[in-house]
Amino acid sequence: MEYTLGIVGFGEVGGIFGRNLRGQAGIKGVYAWDVKFADPAAGEESRKGAEEAGIRACASMQELCGQADLLISAVTASRTLDVAEEAARHIRKGAQFLDLNSASPGTKQRAAAAIDGAGGQYVEAGVMTSVPPYGIRVPMLLGGSQAAGLAQTLTGWGMDAKAVSDKLGIASAIKMSRSTMIKGLEALVVEAYTNARAYGVEEHVLPTLQETFPQINWSQQGDYFFSRVVLHGKRRAEEMRESANTVKETGIEPLMASAIAEKQDWMAALAREEKLFEGLTGKSPWQDYADRLIAHAHRKA
């Protein structure tokens, strides 16, 4: 079967999937819709980026759904359910909906109810690591009654997709449990390293971490974690709120997940609203980020 793909959300992840899947055997065309496309100021550049990649920029979700045999939802965590419900109003009977978004099992189940109730076929995906280094080869776990069949199709397109359960929520539970650990480590490193730097003891603290966990280069890991939180903290905070919902759905109080969300959001706000890290890049050492946090704290004192 040949597929026409519809990408919902033409940001970093949606752009990678759209550009890399276009031209694959079995894909006859790629369309995209993003709310940015409707923005008179910012939309032109986004639409132009899609068109230059050979992807048709649609004027609405309705137009996108009218074309697509397979919709791939790649939006922020907080938009997961809204996007599924909007797509459900227009999805073609029998069209598949692959939800890449980082959301709790409960959110994914509600999204599935909307899509399946409209005659579509919902499949959840847990994207298990950062997309950019892997592209379409990023490891994904799929769940739902159609997961096995879709995993076979995606694998044929060069993707790394594995069906883990025909029950909805399992793939997301795996993803969100992992996210709590990874995003929690990021938040802990930001706080612990900045604290050590403020007291002038980082040269004592990092070697003890290296001794305990010798397989990790803690200085390089610090560089990476600080830069990723500054760049993607808002998106990570949304994901961690969904991780908190995942914990809450089990009846456990999500004390840690909620705190991680707040830390990620705090860093993102400093970057976005106060331009605190302007000029720093992914190659900047963690000490540069920490120094700016310390200077900011002293100004506020």
Side-chain angles (χ1 to χ4, degrees):
M1 174 181 175
E2 284 195 320
Y3 284 80
T4 297
L5 297 187
I7 308 293
V8 187
F10 199 71
E12 181 181 49
V13 173
I16 288 171
F17 274 73
R19 291 183 183 95
N20 286 277
L21 288 173
R22 179 182 169 273
Q24 293 281 348
I27 297 176
K28 57 186 177 182
V30 180
Y31 292 71
W33 159 245
D34 193 295
V35 292
K36 293 195 298 289
F37 292 174
D39 185 331
E44 183 177 353
E45 186 177 348
S46 297
R47 290 191 302 272
K48 184 179 178 182
E51 298 286 357
E52 287 177 347
I55 297 166
R56 169 74 178 273
C58 294
S60 65
M61 177 74 85
Q62 183 174 4
E63 182 185 351
L64 181 73
C65 291
Q67 298 292 334
D69 305 304
L70 170 61
L71 289 157
I72 299 178
S73 180
V75 296
T76 58
S78 64
R79 294 278 295 152
T80 299
L81 182 57
D82 290 344
V83 162
E85 289 177 339
E86 184 183 0
R89 291 194 284 272
H90 308 293
I91 196 168
R92 292 159 51 187
K93 302 293 183 186
Q96 293 180 303
F97 185 97
L98 178 62
D99 193 336
L100 303 183
N101 306 308
S102 298
S104 75
T107 299
K108 292 287 183 87
Q109 288 160 359
R110 290 190 291 276
I115 295 295
D116 293 347
Q121 299 178 352
Y122 182 94
V123 177
E124 68 167 336
V127 180
M128 298 308 292
T129 190
S130 180
V131 172
Y134 293 87
I136 61 170
R137 290 291 302 165
V138 65
M140 292 194 302
L141 305 179
L142 306 188
S145 61
Q146 304 298 316
L150 185 55
Q152 188 173 3
T153 298
L154 299 181
T155 301
W157 295 341
M159 299 173 71
D160 183 2
K162 176 184 177 183
V164 292
S165 179
D166 58 4
K167 180 182 176 182
L168 279 170
I170 299 301
S172 294
I174 297 168
K175 159 68 176 177
M176 302 312 283
S177 297
R178 179 186 185 277
S179 290
T180 302
M181 283 296 298
I182 299 301
K183 274 63 176 182
L185 280 173
E186 290 175 349
L188 282 170
V189 163
V190 166
E191 187 159 305
Y193 281 31
T194 302
N195 187 63
R197 182 79 168 167
Y199 281 99
V201 297
E202 68 268 26
E203 292 183 3
H204 297 277
V205 172
L206 266 66
T208 68
L209 296 175
Q210 199 67 53
E211 183 180 358
T212 306
F213 301 101
Q215 68 274 28
I216 299 172
N217 185 319
W218 285 96
S219 185
Q220 287 184 6
Q221 200 67 55
D223 300 343
Y224 180 73
F225 280 168
F226 270 82
S227 67
R228 296 299 287 178
V229 174
V230 166
L231 188 61
H232 298 297
K234 186 176 186 298
R235 189 172 72 195
R236 279 161 153 70
E238 289 187 8
E239 181 176 328
M240 286 312 304
R241 291 190 179 98
E242 282 297 315
S243 290
N245 287 337
T246 302
V247 176
K248 195 179 296 182
E249 287 165 8
T250 69
I252 299 169
E253 190 66 27
L255 300 175
M256 296 301 295
S258 297
I260 294 162
E262 292 303 313
K263 190 70 175 185
Q264 296 271 0
D265 218 9
W266 175 74
M267 283 284 282
L270 289 176
R272 183 178 63 252
E273 297 165 14
E274 303 196 31
K275 311 297 182 187
L276 187 64
F277 307 103
E278 207 160 49
L280 300 183
T281 70
K283 295 183 179 179
S284 299
W286 70 264
Q287 291 91 340
D288 289 355
Y289 291 96
D291 285 344
R292 295 203 185 180
L293 287 171
I294 294 164
H296 178 266
H298 289 166
R299 287 195 299 272
K300 292 287 186 180

